[in-house]
Amino acid sequence: MNREEQLTEVVADELTAEAVAEYLRDNPDYFLSRRELVDRLALPNQEQGAVSLVHVQLNRQRQRIEELEEEITALMSLAASNDRTFHEFMDVQERILSCDSLSEVVEMIEDKAMQLGLKAHVRLSENAPEPYVLNTEYARQFVTRSFNGRDAIWDE
């Protein structure tokens, strides 16, 4: 067989393989009525020799189950973290209601922020006492820098 015939055969094999793959994608129930064919199919595997299609599918399903279990674990961890955060902020709300002065509220918020490893920013509007007066232009610049163009609620 010359080089041109070999090349033609390779291209024909690839086209045939692609046509078969496309047909099987379009007809996923093809093997349902051809059990004997499924039983005879074997996929080459360097580590295990030939293995059945069912074996390959089971291994893929096991792998997918493991991935889903890891994802569930990560989501459960995130949910637990969100729950802790919710309870921390519920505690802040309760403590704010028991404060007797604005300075006590600010101090409590700053303490809680420090406990949580956060920075506290208290924005007061309308008639704030002198140490808590907020320069509107500074606040706009802060929001612009801090939110990097993302939407932020700003009410005046």
Side-chain angles (χ1 to χ4, degrees):
M1 187 182 301
N2 67 28
R3 177 86 173 131
E4 187 175 317
E5 289 173 332
Q6 288 176 336
L7 184 59
T8 302
E9 187 175 309
V10 167
V11 171
D13 286 346
E14 287 178 11
L15 289 176
T16 302
E18 185 54 40
V20 170
E22 184 176 336
Y23 180 81
L24 291 175
R25 277 192 297 271
D26 292 342
N27 299 282
D29 59 347
Y30 176 80
F31 289 107
L32 292 178
S33 62
R34 295 169 180 84
R35 285 280 193 218
E36 74 288 344
L37 183 57
V38 173
D39 293 340
R40 290 181 32 207
L41 283 177
L43 303 175
N45 183 309
Q46 291 178 355
E47 296 169 6
Q48 301 172 343
V51 295
S52 72
L53 182 59
V54 173
H55 183 74
V56 170
Q57 289 173 330
L58 284 174
N59 283 338
R60 285 188 178 169
Q61 290 298 326
R62 283 188 191 107
Q63 183 179 0
R64 182 67 180 134
I65 288 169
E66 287 176 15
E67 290 169 0
L68 289 172
E69 286 174 344
E70 289 174 11
E71 196 173 320
I72 287 170
T73 301
L75 289 172
M76 293 296 289
S77 176
L78 181 60
S81 175
N82 286 345
D83 188 56
R84 284 188 300 274
T85 302
F86 172 78
H87 286 288
E88 290 290 344
F89 283 104
M90 289 300 293
D91 178 54
V92 167
Q93 181 179 350
E94 187 177 320
R95 290 176 57 193
I96 285 174
L97 293 173
S98 67
C99 290
D100 293 325
S101 68
L102 182 59
S103 60
E104 199 176 323
V105 169
V106 171
E107 184 180 330
M108 187 277 307
I109 290 172
E110 289 172 341
D111 288 346
K112 181 56 86 170
M114 194 170 10
Q115 288 173 12
L116 298 174
L118 302 172
K119 289 184 179 179
H121 298 278
V122 178
R123 177 176 181 246
L124 303 174
S125 58
E126 298 184 27
N127 305 324
E130 182 55 40
Y132 305 112
V133 172
L134 180 66
N135 177 305
T136 306
E137 185 55 34
Y138 172 78
R140 283 188 202 286
Q141 290 173 5
F142 170 79
V143 168
T144 301
R145 281 192 318 269
S146 299
F147 292 105
N148 294 326
R150 295 184 303 253
D151 289 340
I153 297 172
W154 181 263
D155 55 43
E156 293 189 40

